[in-house]
Amino acid sequence: MCRWMAYTGSPLKLETVIFKARHSLIDQSLHARLGATTTNGDGFGVGWYGRDPDEAPFRYRSIHPAWNDRNLREAARAIKASLFVAHIRAATDTPAQETNCHPFRHGRWLFVHNGLIREYPLLRRELMLHIAPSYFPSLEGSTDSEVMFLLALSFGLEKDPLPALQRMAGLVEEVGHRHGVAHPLNMTVCALDGQRLIAVRYSSEANSRSLFHNTDVRHLKQLYPDEPRIAALDDDTYMLLSEPLTELPGAWEEVPEACAIIAGGGQVRRYDFAPAGG
């Protein structure tokens, strides 16, 4: 499938997590340990926010394999941000093209997804009919992920993110079941609005794609006082990612099934997640 990571905290160079970590996102693009596919080479994307709160997020996407893109290495070395997301893609039913690369963007929002809508070609038309007319012109690619994002926007993502994501998931399951799909949805998703990140781990079969977060940074500093990578982290640093970046014991914790997380400004809140109708 895909691999992604999202970060909020003090400004950090993107290369720190994309290239320099032992099991960086680049390493995961070649040697994923927990994904449905070992190699994720069907494009990549990064999205990040600048200092201007009214400015749209920046984005760089490419259909090249992430490990083979020199411009990504240069950009990751230069860009320093306090809120960003990165994604590497393994295509399923849709082609490798730039408009299918994550993150997807609308206004202040960015969105990434790992997983799938099963039997998507069968369900696609009916799902797309639920995208609000005001958001439909934003549709550029052919992925289930982008449709999920536009559905969430249609259901109120910009005003109340969790209910919107619950309604999106509920619609996918409702349409899927109506067409005889037993387990329509498998997802780890992350939406960012410039101030926080909102992530969900959920699947119809209760066997979702992997998702982890770092444990308390203050505790990690006590456990590893001589580890410079941990010493450099701000106490409010929070990362969500498909696979841990390192093998340090106690540094990572798996996000539970059917769980939503909102993180930003030094606060992290967890919620139970269940699809909703209506």
Side-chain angles (χ1 to χ4, degrees):
M1 287 298 163
C2 307
R3 306 280 84 185
W4 62 263
M5 69 85 51
Y7 171 90
T8 177
S10 56
L12 183 73
K13 279 190 176 184
L14 270 62
E15 70 171 355
T16 305
V17 293
I18 295 177
F19 286 98
K20 288 191 170 182
R22 182 183 297 272
H23 191 43
S24 67
L25 209 60
I26 291 296
D27 185 62
Q28 292 178 35
S29 69
L30 286 163
H31 309 293
R33 302 170 185 175
L34 302 175
T37 54
T38 301
T39 303
N40 301 271
D42 296 317
F44 67 88
V46 293
W48 68 98
Y49 293 85
R51 295 182 179 180
D52 186 345
D54 297 320
E55 192 172 41
F58 301 98
R59 186 175 57 163
Y60 174 50
R61 300 186 297 175
S62 172
I63 61 171
H64 295 296
W67 66 81
N68 197 34
D69 190 289
R70 290 184 176 183
N71 291 326
L72 175 62
R73 188 174 295 274
E74 290 294 314
R77 188 168 62 91
I79 297 166
K80 195 174 186 180
S82 58
L83 182 64
F84 62 85
V85 64
H87 183 280
I88 49 177
R89 183 170 183 250
T92 48
D93 295 324
T94 52
Q97 60 190 47
E98 187 175 308
T99 53
N100 284 344
C101 293
H102 312 217
F104 303 103
R105 179 176 63 187
H106 181 86
R108 290 283 292 164
W109 287 84
L110 294 169
F111 183 88
V112 296
H113 167 229
N114 175 32
L116 76 165
I117 295 177
R118 291 187 174 86
E119 303 296 337
Y120 178 61
L122 177 66
L123 311 183
R124 180 185 180 193
R125 179 181 180 277
E126 187 170 345
L127 291 174
M128 290 176 68
L129 290 174
H130 289 268
I131 297 173
S134 58
Y135 293 112
F136 200 88
S138 298
L139 183 66
E140 295 182 329
S142 56
T143 65
D144 53 357
S145 305
E146 187 178 15
V147 167
M148 289 165 63
F149 178 38
L150 295 177
L151 285 171
L153 286 166
S154 300
F155 292 144
L157 181 70
E158 295 171 291
K159 294 180 180 179
D160 203 352
L162 281 187
L165 290 168
Q166 288 175 314
R167 288 185 64 192
M168 177 272 289
L171 176 67
V172 172
E173 291 197 325
E174 177 192 336
V175 172
H177 291 153
R178 196 183 312 130
H179 286 269
V181 183
H183 302 298
L185 181 61
N186 194 308
M187 69 177 192
T188 66
V189 299
C190 186
L192 304 87
D193 66 356
Q195 302 295 324
R196 58 190 172 162
L197 57 85
I198 301 101
V200 175
R201 184 181 186 219
Y202 174 80
S203 61
S204 305
E205 66 271 33
N207 186 24
S208 304
R209 301 293 187 254
S210 58
L211 188 63
F212 294 81
H213 66 86
N214 64 295
T215 54
D216 184 82
V217 175
R218 288 176 286 269
H219 178 59
L220 289 176
K221 288 179 178 178
Q222 294 173 356
L223 283 176
Y224 303 100
D226 300 321
E227 175 53 66
R229 292 170 297 178
I230 292 177
L233 294 176
D234 185 84
D235 285 349
D236 294 331
T237 294
Y238 191 75
M239 282 182 277
L240 279 161
L241 61 183
S242 297
E243 298 188 19
L245 297 174
T246 67
E247 297 178 357
L248 291 173
W252 309 99
E253 182 178 317
E254 189 170 19
V255 175
E257 286 281 347
C259 178
I261 293 173
I262 298 178
Q267 295 185 335
V268 179
R269 289 164 288 169
R270 285 192 181 190
Y271 304 88
D272 293 332
F273 184 87

